[in-house]
Amino acid sequence: MDIVVVQFLTGLASASSLFLVASGLSIIFGVSRIVNFAHGSFYMLGAYLAWTLVERLPYGPLGFWGGIVGAAAIVALLGLVMEFVLLRRIYRAPELFQLLATFGVVLIVQDATLWLWGPQDLLGPRAPGLRGAVTILGQRFPQYDLLLIFIGPVVLALLWLLFTRTRWGTLVRAATQDREMVGALGVDQKLLFTTVFMLGSFLAGLGGALQLPRESVNLQMDLTIITDAFVVVVVGGMGSLGGAFLAALLIGVLHAFGIVVFPKITLVLIFLVMAVVLVLRPYGLMGRKPGPVAATVGLVTPLIGPTPRALVWLGLVAGALLVLAPLFVGDYTLTILSEMAILALFAASLHFMMGPGGMASFGHAAYFGLGAYAAALLMRQLGLGMPLGLIAAPLAGAAFGLLFGWFCVRLSGVYLAMLTLAFAQICWSVAFQWVELTGGDNGLLNILPSGWAQTRQGFYWLALVLSIAGILLLRWLIRTPFGHALRAARDNPLRAEAVGMAVGRLQWAGFAVAASFAGFAGGLYAYFKGSVFPTFISIPRSVDALLMVLLGGVDTLAGPIVGAVVYTGLHEQLMSLTDYWRAILGLIIVVLVVAFPQGLAGQARDWWLARNGGRA
Amino acid sequence: MLTVQGLDAHYGLAHILAGIELTVQRGEVVVLLGRNGAGKSTTLKSIIGLVRPSAGQITFEGQGIAGRSPSTIARLGLGYVPEERRIFTELTVRENLEVGRQKPRQGVPHWTPEKLYALFPNLAEMKDRPGGRMSGGEQQMLTIARTLMGNPRLILLDEPSEGLSPLIVEQMADAIAALKRDGMTVLLSEQSLHFAARVADRAYIIEKGRIRHEAGMTALLADADVRQRYLAV
Ligand SMILES: Nc1ncnc2c1ncn2[C@@H]1O[C@H](COP(=O)(O)OP(=O)(O)OP(=O)(O)O)[C@@H](O)[C@H]1O
Ligand SMILES: [Mg+2]
């Protein structure tokens, strides 16, 4: 009993920081409609900056608390810079491009943090005056955690006052509903957005800084917290501070208990809770059905027309050249070409979901990774080889696609996308934590292809043929009645329902199809690399896929292929050039989004229209 | 006070407005009459900056405003009341008014919530009610009151009588008449000739994105031919 109480209190203490971060994310999203991936980076920066400030300032209450608040204030300024330099230029861009841009910032901040503070974990001092513990029911409980328990509700109350009792708060609430109208009433939206962004960033920074006495400061904090914050926001209901608070308590307490009772499956537990909440209340505990503005991902694109004859010829020539490639290129190039082929299939599967399916996924790597693990586990556990592995991989992808998709298709737009991300993170943590089965961080090694495919050429041909076959199959699917129905459901769900289509079922099926092709690509990738690691499922890999699709454009089937080729090549080049390739990649993403807010393909289409007499 | 010259507007590739010309003098109530889809709302939206004009000049109090942001235009003293009302449903009546508040402006009446409650007595009874729980008529009053909180020199009213019961329509006409007596300048859009006749001094008739006819209200009422051609349904 006593341990239960203490764990409960520990949960409440963690909930406070989580609430700060999630409320910041939610406030920013409310007004700007931008899902700010970099919010987790601000949390991490808050912790690092607090570490530095507290180390530098004289130890004492003033130095400590000054350091904490100072760190949050610096983060708020960084938020201001980011809004001013980046977001302001892309408010009109489609949501996914905005998201990519903020992910670019995540990459930049990661490398900047690595460069400034180094790779080792940092430990901060205890809070002066709160270093001890109190005894609760015979159990020791840190004084600092007791303070944290109070900080959450206090911040909630302050925010509530701010939003209901000040003109600024009233404007923010109004803008959350209809920012255009707020502008037409003469309110300077730029100022409003900037201040909202500063407040949100401040909360993230404070959340991170407050963790200083509790846990080590490290480079993984950003993506860990952003996933938790997404879960909190989805469970609590987007835009609801009260909901975020409740959900943060729920998740915080679950974490605390999970660590004691089932350390390995804490995240699975959280997944179950999230699933139950979303089944009962699709828009979260205290959320409301979003208006149409919030629900669209801004990617509804023209139908894919028949392929122009020239492109068919080009494709055939390219295909022939690719088949003959081993005759005139070396091993290194073949390896890269194999990777490109597999990733093109992976990107095409995401394209199927986003383009015809109209569902954006931030967590598509889940199915890729699950396919890879399925193939690898068959080999390690049962000694079954590649042919069966390549059958199991898409099945695994499809199975989990059915499972996760069942929840996801109940939502739409960014809500759906956030949920896909949360599922992917859960898979990742299972792969990471279930060491007995997956080998954890060490991965599963020696996943060899069948003998004839163990040469570079052999495997290259295999990857090429299977990837092209997969892509052609997807292309065929888009043109079947199923594909047409899927697009009809995407373009006008209400009308599709009205003519008797089961929109939810269709999307569910589309989700599973996309997942199974991703799983297949993952299986191939496992044999290609000869090993499988949790990174196959990580957020960066999901973002890779998004980048390939968006880089190439959602409009055409060639898009994901071009995207995969360009992106893989770029990635390879950067990695060989510098250790800080993440930052460079992030910078490239940011610059691309700012320069071409409609995407490369959108830009090309506009140019084409302008040149062909359409109105520019 | 407001001059529009050669205004063109597009939605995507669709050409919606072609060479709109109109002027509004200080103290006048001018109506833009036209059938569904004629381009009335688009004209008003282009003036306030919600639709970016693709050609033409818009001058307000001597300043060119075409292509500026809605908030900049609104802060020059141009009020806009949208057709869809766009009340902030989560905010109370009082808070809705607060969002519209701007600094007092020289030479125009300074509106306060109290004065607005006097103009629209219905609102006075529901100061703390969320906008989402109001009737259509009440919302229409609130959206006008909200815009008046910005102390505008001129207001653009998009179909104020649309979807309202006859009784409320009369109240609305009275309110506009009261505003006019106080010297307010108004450019409104309407389909209802009856309502326009109650409030307007002068009318422009718009059809398929072009101004087809301009006349004083009395002259228009006398001209059965024009009414038949452009306004009969
Ligand atoms: N957002 C939009 N996108 C594309 N076309 C639009 C959009 N809004 C209006 N239109 C088209 O522009 C034309 C003019 O529309 P507008 O709303 O200005 O007409 P209106 O005169 O206000 O009509 P109503 O009396 O029905 O309000 C119509 O043909 C309409 O279909
Ligand atoms: Mg209209």
Side-chain angles (χ1 to χ4, degrees), chain B residues 139-212:
Chain B
Q139 288 194 346
Q140 184 65 48
M141 294 176 195
L142 179 56
T143 180
I144 295 177
R146 184 178 65 179
T147 298
L148 288 174
M149 281 296 286
N151 308 310
R153 297 178 196 281
L154 183 156
I155 51 175
L156 307 170
L157 270 177
D158 201 353
E159 293 205 43
S161 76
E162 193 189 4
L164 300 182
S165 71
L167 187 70
I168 307 278
V169 170
E170 287 309 305
Q171 282 184 25
M172 208 50 81
D174 290 343
I176 295 172
L179 288 175
K180 179 176 157 62
R181 269 198 306 282
D182 283 354
M184 177 64 82
T185 313
V186 181
L187 173 60
L188 77 159
S189 84
E190 260 307 327
Q191 292 192 51
S192 151
L193 187 63
H194 168 73
F195 187 84
R198 282 272 272 115
V199 299
D201 305 317
R202 207 152 54 80
Y204 289 95
I205 293 182
I206 179 170
E207 191 197 51
K208 295 202 181 121
R210 285 168 211 278
I211 299 285
R212 302 289 179 168

Coordinates of all heavy atoms in Angstrom, one line a residue, chain B residues 139-212:
Chain B
Q139 N -26.6 36.4 -33.0 CA -25.3 36.3 -33.6 C -25.0 37.4 -34.6 O -24.0 38.1 -34.6 CB -25.0 35.0 -34.2 CG -24.9 33.8 -33.2 CD -24.2 32.6 -33.9 OE1 -24.1 32.5 -35.1 NE2 -23.8 31.7 -33.0
Q140 N -26.0 37.7 -35.4 CA -25.9 38.8 -36.4 C -25.7 40.1 -35.7 O -24.8 40.9 -36.1 CB -27.1 38.8 -37.3 CG -27.0 39.8 -38.4 CD -25.9 39.5 -39.4 OE1 -25.8 38.3 -39.9 NE2 -25.1 40.4 -39.7
M141 N -26.4 40.4 -34.6 CA -26.2 41.6 -33.9 C -24.8 41.6 -33.2 O -24.2 42.7 -33.3 CB -27.3 41.7 -32.7 CG -28.7 41.8 -33.3 SD -29.9 41.8 -31.9 CE -31.3 41.5 -32.9
L142 N -24.4 40.5 -32.7 CA -23.1 40.5 -32.1 C -22.0 40.7 -33.1 O -21.1 41.5 -32.8 CB -22.9 39.1 -31.4 CG -21.5 38.9 -30.7 CD1 -21.3 40.0 -29.7 CD2 -21.4 37.6 -30.0
T143 N -22.1 40.2 -34.3 CA -21.0 40.4 -35.2 C -20.9 41.8 -35.7 O -19.8 42.4 -35.8 CB -21.2 39.4 -36.4 OG1 -20.1 39.6 -37.3 CG2 -22.4 39.6 -37.2
I144 N -22.1 42.5 -35.7 CA -22.0 44.0 -36.1 C -21.5 44.7 -34.9 O -20.6 45.6 -35.0 CB -23.4 44.5 -36.4 CG1 -23.9 43.8 -37.7 CG2 -23.4 46.0 -36.6 CD1 -25.3 44.2 -38.1
A145 N -21.9 44.4 -33.7 CA -21.5 45.1 -32.5 C -19.9 44.9 -32.4 O -19.2 45.9 -32.0 CB -22.2 44.6 -31.3
R146 N -19.5 43.7 -32.6 CA -18.1 43.4 -32.5 C -17.2 44.3 -33.4 O -16.2 44.8 -33.0 CB -17.8 41.9 -32.8 CG -16.5 41.4 -32.7 CD -16.4 39.9 -33.0 NE -16.7 39.7 -34.4 CZ -16.7 38.5 -35.0 NH1 -16.4 37.4 -34.2 NH2 -17.0 38.3 -36.2
T147 N -17.7 44.5 -34.6 CA -17.0 45.3 -35.6 C -17.1 46.8 -35.2 O -16.1 47.5 -35.3 CB -17.6 45.1 -37.0 OG1 -17.4 43.8 -37.4 CG2 -16.9 46.0 -38.0
L148 N -18.2 47.2 -34.6 CA -18.3 48.6 -34.2 C -17.3 48.9 -33.1 O -16.9 50.0 -32.9 CB -19.7 48.9 -33.7 CG -20.7 49.0 -34.9 CD1 -22.2 49.2 -34.3 CD2 -20.4 50.2 -35.8
M149 N -17.0 47.9 -32.3 CA -16.0 48.1 -31.2 C -14.6 48.6 -31.7 O -13.8 49.1 -31.0 CB -15.7 46.8 -30.4 CG -16.8 46.4 -29.4 SD -17.0 47.6 -28.1 CE -15.5 47.2 -27.1
G150 N -14.4 48.4 -33.0 CA -13.2 48.9 -33.6 C -13.3 50.4 -34.0 O -12.4 50.9 -34.6
N151 N -14.4 51.1 -33.6 CA -14.6 52.5 -34.0 C -14.3 52.8 -35.4 O -13.5 53.6 -35.8 CB -13.8 53.4 -33.1 CG -13.9 53.1 -31.6 OD1 -15.1 53.0 -31.2 ND2 -12.8 52.9 -30.9
P152 N -15.0 52.1 -36.3 CA -14.7 52.2 -37.8 C -15.2 53.5 -38.3 O -16.2 54.1 -37.8 CB -15.4 51.0 -38.4 CG -16.5 50.7 -37.5 CD -16.1 51.0 -36.1
R153 N -14.6 54.0 -39.4 CA -15.1 55.1 -40.2 C -16.1 54.6 -41.2 O -17.0 55.4 -41.6 CB -13.9 55.8 -40.9 CG -12.9 56.4 -40.0 CD -11.8 57.0 -40.9 NE -10.6 57.3 -40.1 CZ -10.5 58.3 -39.2 NH1 -11.5 59.2 -39.1 NH2 -9.4 58.5 -38.5
L154 N -15.9 53.4 -41.6 CA -16.8 52.8 -42.6 C -17.0 51.4 -42.3 O -16.0 50.7 -41.9 CB -16.1 53.0 -44.0 CG -16.9 52.6 -45.3 CD1 -16.4 53.4 -46.5 CD2 -16.8 51.1 -45.6
I155 N -18.2 50.9 -42.5 CA -18.3 49.4 -42.3 C -18.8 48.7 -43.5 O -19.6 49.3 -44.3 CB -19.1 49.0 -41.1 CG1 -20.5 49.6 -41.1 CG2 -18.4 49.2 -39.8 CD1 -21.4 49.0 -39.9
L156 N -18.2 47.5 -43.8 CA -18.7 46.7 -44.9 C -19.6 45.6 -44.2 O -19.1 44.9 -43.4 CB -17.4 46.0 -45.5 CG -16.3 46.9 -45.9 CD1 -15.1 46.1 -46.3 CD2 -16.7 47.7 -47.1
L157 N -20.8 45.6 -44.7 CA -21.8 44.7 -44.1 C -22.2 43.7 -45.1 O -22.8 44.0 -46.1 CB -23.0 45.4 -43.7 CG -23.2 46.0 -42.3 CD1 -24.5 46.8 -42.2 CD2 -23.1 44.9 -41.3
D158 N -21.9 42.4 -44.9 CA -22.2 41.4 -46.0 C -23.5 40.7 -45.7 O -23.6 39.9 -44.7 CB -21.0 40.4 -46.1 CG -21.0 39.7 -47.4 OD1 -22.0 39.9 -48.2 OD2 -20.1 38.9 -47.7
E159 N -24.5 41.0 -46.4 CA -25.9 40.4 -46.3 C -26.4 40.4 -44.9 O -26.6 39.3 -44.3 CB -25.9 39.0 -47.0 CG -25.7 39.2 -48.5 CD -26.3 38.0 -49.2 OE1 -27.5 37.6 -48.8 OE2 -25.7 37.5 -50.2
P160 N -26.6 41.5 -44.2 CA -27.0 41.5 -42.8 C -28.4 40.9 -42.6 O -28.7 40.4 -41.5 CB -27.0 43.0 -42.4 CG -27.1 43.7 -43.7 CD -26.4 42.9 -44.7
S161 N -29.2 40.8 -43.7 CA -30.6 40.3 -43.4 C -30.7 38.8 -43.7 O -31.7 38.2 -43.5 CB -31.5 41.1 -44.3 OG -31.4 40.6 -45.7
E162 N -29.6 38.2 -44.2 CA -29.7 36.8 -44.7 C -30.1 35.9 -43.5 O -29.5 35.9 -42.5 CB -28.4 36.4 -45.2 CG -28.4 35.1 -46.0 CD -27.0 34.5 -46.3 OE1 -26.0 35.2 -45.9 OE2 -27.0 33.5 -47.0
G163 N -31.1 35.1 -43.8 CA -31.5 34.0 -42.9 C -32.1 34.5 -41.6 O -32.1 33.7 -40.6
L164 N -32.6 35.7 -41.6 CA -33.2 36.2 -40.3 C -34.7 36.3 -40.4 O -35.3 36.4 -41.5 CB -32.6 37.6 -40.0 CG -31.1 37.7 -39.8 CD1 -30.7 39.1 -39.5 CD2 -30.7 36.7 -38.8
S165 N -35.4 36.2 -39.3 CA -36.9 36.3 -39.3 C -37.2 37.7 -39.6 O -36.5 38.7 -39.3 CB -37.4 35.9 -37.9 OG -37.1 36.9 -37.0
P166 N -38.4 38.0 -40.1 CA -38.9 39.3 -40.5 C -38.7 40.3 -39.4 O -38.3 41.5 -39.6 CB -40.3 39.1 -40.9 CG -40.5 37.7 -41.3 CD -39.5 37.0 -40.5
L167 N -39.0 39.9 -38.2 CA -39.0 40.8 -37.0 C -37.5 41.3 -36.8 O -37.2 42.5 -36.6 CB -39.5 40.1 -35.8 CG -39.6 41.0 -34.6 CD1 -40.7 42.0 -34.8 CD2 -39.8 40.1 -33.3
I168 N -36.6 40.3 -36.9 CA -35.2 40.6 -36.6 C -34.7 41.5 -37.8 O -33.9 42.4 -37.6 CB -34.3 39.4 -36.5 CG1 -34.9 38.4 -35.5 CG2 -32.9 39.7 -36.2 CD1 -34.5 38.7 -34.1
V169 N -35.2 41.2 -39.0 CA -34.7 42.0 -40.2 C -35.1 43.5 -39.9 O -34.3 44.4 -40.2 CB -35.4 41.5 -41.5 CG1 -35.2 42.5 -42.6 CG2 -34.8 40.1 -41.8
E170 N -36.3 43.7 -39.4 CA -36.7 45.1 -39.1 C -35.8 45.7 -38.1 O -35.3 46.8 -38.3 CB -38.2 45.1 -38.6 CG -39.2 44.8 -39.6 CD -39.1 45.7 -40.9 OE1 -39.0 46.9 -40.7 OE2 -38.9 45.2 -42.0
Q171 N -35.5 45.0 -37.0 CA -34.6 45.5 -36.0 C -33.2 45.9 -36.6 O -32.6 46.9 -36.3 CB -34.3 44.5 -34.9 CG -35.5 44.3 -33.9 CD -35.1 43.4 -32.8 OE1 -34.0 43.1 -32.5 NE2 -36.2 42.8 -32.2
M172 N -32.8 45.0 -37.5 CA -31.5 45.2 -38.2 C -31.5 46.5 -39.0 O -30.6 47.3 -38.9 CB -31.2 44.0 -39.1 CG -29.8 43.7 -39.3 SD -28.8 43.6 -37.8 CE -29.2 42.0 -37.2
A173 N -32.6 46.7 -39.7 CA -32.7 47.9 -40.5 C -32.8 49.1 -39.6 O -32.1 50.1 -40.0 CB -34.0 47.8 -41.4
D174 N -33.5 49.0 -38.5 CA -33.5 50.1 -37.6 C -32.1 50.5 -37.1 O -31.7 51.6 -37.0 CB -34.4 49.8 -36.4 CG -35.9 49.8 -36.8 OD1 -36.2 50.3 -37.9 OD2 -36.7 49.2 -36.1
A175 N -31.4 49.4 -36.8 CA -30.0 49.6 -36.2 C -29.1 50.3 -37.3 O -28.4 51.3 -37.0 CB -29.4 48.3 -35.8
I176 N -29.3 49.9 -38.5 CA -28.4 50.5 -39.6 C -28.9 52.0 -39.8 O -28.0 52.9 -39.9 CB -28.5 49.7 -40.9 CG1 -27.9 48.4 -40.7 CG2 -27.8 50.5 -42.1 CD1 -28.1 47.4 -41.9
A177 N -30.2 52.2 -39.7 CA -30.7 53.6 -39.8 C -30.1 54.4 -38.7 O -29.7 55.6 -38.9 CB -32.2 53.6 -39.8
A178 N -30.1 53.9 -37.5 CA -29.6 54.6 -36.4 C -28.1 54.9 -36.6 O -27.6 56.1 -36.3 CB -29.8 53.8 -35.1
L179 N -27.3 54.0 -37.1 CA -25.9 54.2 -37.4 C -25.7 55.4 -38.4 O -24.9 56.2 -38.2 CB -25.3 53.0 -37.9 CG -25.1 51.8 -36.9 CD1 -24.5 50.6 -37.6 CD2 -24.1 52.2 -35.8
K180 N -26.6 55.3 -39.4 CA -26.5 56.3 -40.4 C -26.8 57.7 -39.8 O -26.1 58.7 -40.2 CB -27.5 56.0 -41.5 CG -27.5 57.0 -42.7 CD -28.5 56.6 -43.8 CE -29.0 57.7 -44.6 NZ -27.9 58.4 -45.3
R181 N -27.8 57.8 -39.0 CA -28.1 59.1 -38.3 C -26.9 59.6 -37.6 O -26.6 60.8 -37.5 CB -29.3 58.9 -37.4 CG -30.6 59.2 -38.0 CD -31.7 59.4 -36.9 NE -31.8 58.4 -35.9 CZ -32.3 57.2 -36.1 NH1 -32.9 56.9 -37.3 NH2 -32.4 56.3 -35.2
D182 N -26.1 58.7 -37.0 CA -24.9 59.1 -36.2 C -23.7 59.5 -37.2 O -22.6 59.7 -36.7 CB -24.4 58.0 -35.3 CG -25.3 58.0 -34.1 OD1 -26.2 58.8 -33.9 OD2 -25.1 57.0 -33.3
G183 N -24.0 59.3 -38.5 CA -22.9 59.7 -39.4 C -22.1 58.6 -39.9 O -21.1 58.8 -40.6
M184 N -22.4 57.3 -39.6 CA -21.6 56.2 -40.1 C -21.8 56.0 -41.6 O -22.8 56.2 -42.2 CB -22.1 55.0 -39.3 CG -21.4 53.7 -39.8 SD -19.7 53.7 -39.4 CE -19.8 53.2 -37.7
T185 N -20.7 55.6 -42.2 CA -20.7 55.3 -43.6 C -20.8 53.8 -43.8 O -20.1 53.1 -43.1 CB -19.4 55.8 -44.3 OG1 -19.2 57.2 -43.9 CG2 -19.5 55.8 -45.8
V186 N -21.6 53.3 -44.7 CA -21.8 51.9 -44.8 C -21.8 51.4 -46.2 O -22.4 52.1 -47.1 CB -23.2 51.5 -44.2 CG1 -23.4 50.0 -44.2 CG2 -23.3 51.9 -42.7
L187 N -21.1 50.3 -46.5 CA -21.3 49.7 -47.8 C -21.8 48.3 -47.5 O -21.1 47.5 -46.8 CB -19.9 49.6 -48.5 CG -19.9 48.7 -49.8 CD1 -20.8 49.3 -50.8 CD2 -18.5 48.7 -50.4
L188 N -23.0 48.0 -47.9 CA -23.5 46.7 -47.6 C -23.9 45.9 -48.9 O -24.1 46.5 -49.9 CB -24.7 46.7 -46.6 CG -26.1 47.1 -47.1 CD1 -27.2 46.6 -46.2 CD2 -26.2 48.6 -47.2
S189 N -23.9 44.6 -48.7 CA -24.3 43.8 -49.9 C -25.7 43.2 -49.5 O -26.0 42.9 -48.3 CB -23.3 42.6 -50.1 OG -23.6 41.6 -49.3
E190 N -26.5 43.0 -50.5 CA -27.9 42.5 -50.2 C -28.4 41.7 -51.4 O -28.0 42.0 -52.6 CB -28.8 43.6 -49.9 CG -29.1 43.8 -48.4 CD -29.6 42.6 -47.7 OE1 -30.3 41.7 -48.3 OE2 -29.2 42.4 -46.5
Q191 N -29.3 40.8 -51.2 CA -30.1 40.2 -52.3 C -31.5 40.8 -52.2 O -32.3 40.8 -53.2 CB -30.2 38.7 -52.2 CG -28.9 38.0 -52.4 CD -29.1 36.5 -52.6 OE1 -30.0 36.1 -53.3 NE2 -28.4 35.8 -51.8
S192 N -31.9 41.2 -51.0 CA -33.2 41.7 -50.7 C -33.4 43.2 -51.1 O -32.8 44.0 -50.4 CB -33.6 41.4 -49.3 OG -34.6 42.3 -48.8
L193 N -34.2 43.4 -52.1 CA -34.4 44.8 -52.5 C -35.2 45.5 -51.4 O -34.9 46.7 -51.2 CB -35.2 44.8 -53.8 CG -35.3 46.2 -54.5 CD1 -34.0 46.8 -54.9 CD2 -36.3 46.1 -55.7
H194 N -36.0 44.8 -50.8 CA -36.9 45.4 -49.7 C -36.0 46.0 -48.6 O -36.1 47.1 -48.2 CB -37.8 44.3 -49.2 CG -38.5 44.7 -47.9 ND1 -39.5 45.7 -47.9 CD2 -38.3 44.3 -46.6 CE1 -39.9 45.8 -46.6 NE2 -39.1 45.0 -45.9
F195 N -35.0 45.1 -48.2 CA -34.2 45.6 -47.1 C -33.3 46.8 -47.6 O -33.1 47.8 -46.9 CB -33.3 44.4 -46.7 CG -32.5 44.7 -45.4 CD1 -33.0 44.6 -44.2 CD2 -31.1 45.2 -45.6 CE1 -32.2 44.9 -43.0 CE2 -30.4 45.5 -44.4 CZ -30.9 45.3 -43.2
A196 N -32.8 46.6 -48.8 CA -31.9 47.7 -49.3 C -32.7 49.0 -49.4 O -32.2 50.1 -49.0 CB -31.5 47.3 -50.7
A197 N -34.0 48.9 -49.8 CA -34.8 50.1 -49.9 C -35.0 50.8 -48.5 O -35.1 52.0 -48.4 CB -36.2 49.8 -50.5
R198 N -35.0 50.0 -47.5 CA -35.2 50.5 -46.1 C -34.0 51.3 -45.7 O -34.2 52.3 -44.9 CB -35.4 49.3 -45.1 CG -36.8 48.7 -45.1 CD -37.7 49.4 -44.1 NE -37.6 48.9 -42.8 CZ -37.2 49.6 -41.7 NH1 -36.8 50.9 -41.9 NH2 -37.1 49.1 -40.5
V199 N -32.8 50.9 -46.1 CA -31.6 51.6 -45.5 C -30.8 52.4 -46.5 O -30.1 53.3 -46.0 CB -30.8 50.5 -44.8 CG1 -31.5 49.8 -43.7 CG2 -30.2 49.5 -45.8
A200 N -30.8 52.1 -47.7 CA -29.7 52.6 -48.6 C -30.1 53.9 -49.3 O -31.2 54.2 -49.5 CB -29.3 51.5 -49.6
D201 N -29.0 54.7 -49.6 CA -29.2 55.9 -50.4 C -29.0 55.6 -51.9 O -29.6 56.2 -52.8 CB -28.1 56.9 -50.0 CG -28.2 57.2 -48.5 OD1 -29.3 57.4 -48.0 OD2 -27.1 57.3 -47.9
R202 N -28.1 54.7 -52.2 CA -27.6 54.5 -53.5 C -27.3 53.0 -53.7 O -27.0 52.3 -52.7 CB -26.3 55.3 -53.7 CG -26.1 55.7 -55.1 CD -25.2 57.0 -55.1 NE -24.0 56.9 -54.3 CZ -22.9 56.3 -54.7 NH1 -22.8 55.8 -56.0 NH2 -21.8 56.2 -54.0
A203 N -27.4 52.5 -54.9 CA -27.2 51.1 -55.2 C -26.3 50.9 -56.4 O -26.3 51.6 -57.3 CB -28.5 50.4 -55.4
Y204 N -25.5 49.8 -56.3 CA -24.8 49.3 -57.4 C -25.4 47.9 -57.7 O -25.6 47.1 -56.7 CB -23.3 49.1 -57.2 CG -22.5 50.4 -57.1 CD1 -22.3 51.0 -55.9 CD2 -22.1 51.0 -58.3 CE1 -21.6 52.2 -55.8 CE2 -21.4 52.2 -58.2 CZ -21.2 52.8 -57.0 OH -20.5 54.0 -56.9
I205 N -25.6 47.5 -58.9 CA -26.0 46.2 -59.2 C -24.9 45.4 -59.8 O -24.2 45.9 -60.8 CB -27.2 46.2 -60.2 CG1 -28.4 46.8 -59.4 CG2 -27.6 44.8 -60.6 CD1 -29.7 46.9 -60.1
I206 N -24.6 44.3 -59.2 CA -23.5 43.4 -59.6 C -24.0 42.1 -60.2 O -24.9 41.5 -59.7 CB -22.5 43.2 -58.5 CG1 -21.3 42.4 -58.9 CG2 -23.2 42.6 -57.3 CD1 -20.2 42.3 -57.8
E207 N -23.4 41.7 -61.3 CA -23.8 40.4 -61.9 C -22.5 39.8 -62.5 O -21.8 40.5 -63.2 CB -24.8 40.6 -63.0 CG -25.5 39.3 -63.4 CD -26.2 39.5 -64.7 OE1 -25.6 40.0 -65.7 OE2 -27.3 39.1 -64.8
K208 N -22.3 38.5 -62.2 CA -21.2 37.8 -62.8 C -19.9 38.6 -62.6 O -19.1 38.7 -63.6 CB -21.4 37.5 -64.2 CG -22.5 36.5 -64.4 CD -22.4 35.8 -65.7 CE -23.6 34.8 -65.9 NZ -24.4 35.1 -67.1
G209 N -19.7 39.2 -61.5 CA -18.4 39.8 -61.2 C -18.2 41.2 -61.8 O -17.1 41.7 -61.9
R210 N -19.3 41.8 -62.4 CA -19.2 43.1 -63.0 C -20.3 44.0 -62.5 O -21.4 43.5 -62.2 CB -19.4 43.0 -64.5 CG -18.2 42.5 -65.3 CD -18.6 42.2 -66.7 NE -17.8 41.0 -67.1 CZ -16.5 41.1 -67.6 NH1 -16.0 42.3 -67.7 NH2 -15.8 40.1 -67.9
I211 N -20.0 45.3 -62.4 CA -21.0 46.3 -62.0 C -21.8 46.6 -63.2 O -21.3 47.0 -64.3 CB -20.4 47.6 -61.4 CG1 -19.5 47.3 -60.2 CG2 -21.4 48.6 -61.2 CD1 -20.3 47.0 -59.0
R212 N -23.1 46.3 -63.2 CA -24.0 46.5 -64.4 C -24.8 47.8 -64.4 O -25.2 48.2 -65.4 CB -25.0 45.3 -64.5 CG -24.4 44.0 -64.5 CD -23.7 43.8 -65.9 NE -23.1 42.4 -65.9 CZ -22.6 41.8 -66.9 NH1 -22.7 42.5 -68.1 NH2 -22.1 40.7 -66.8

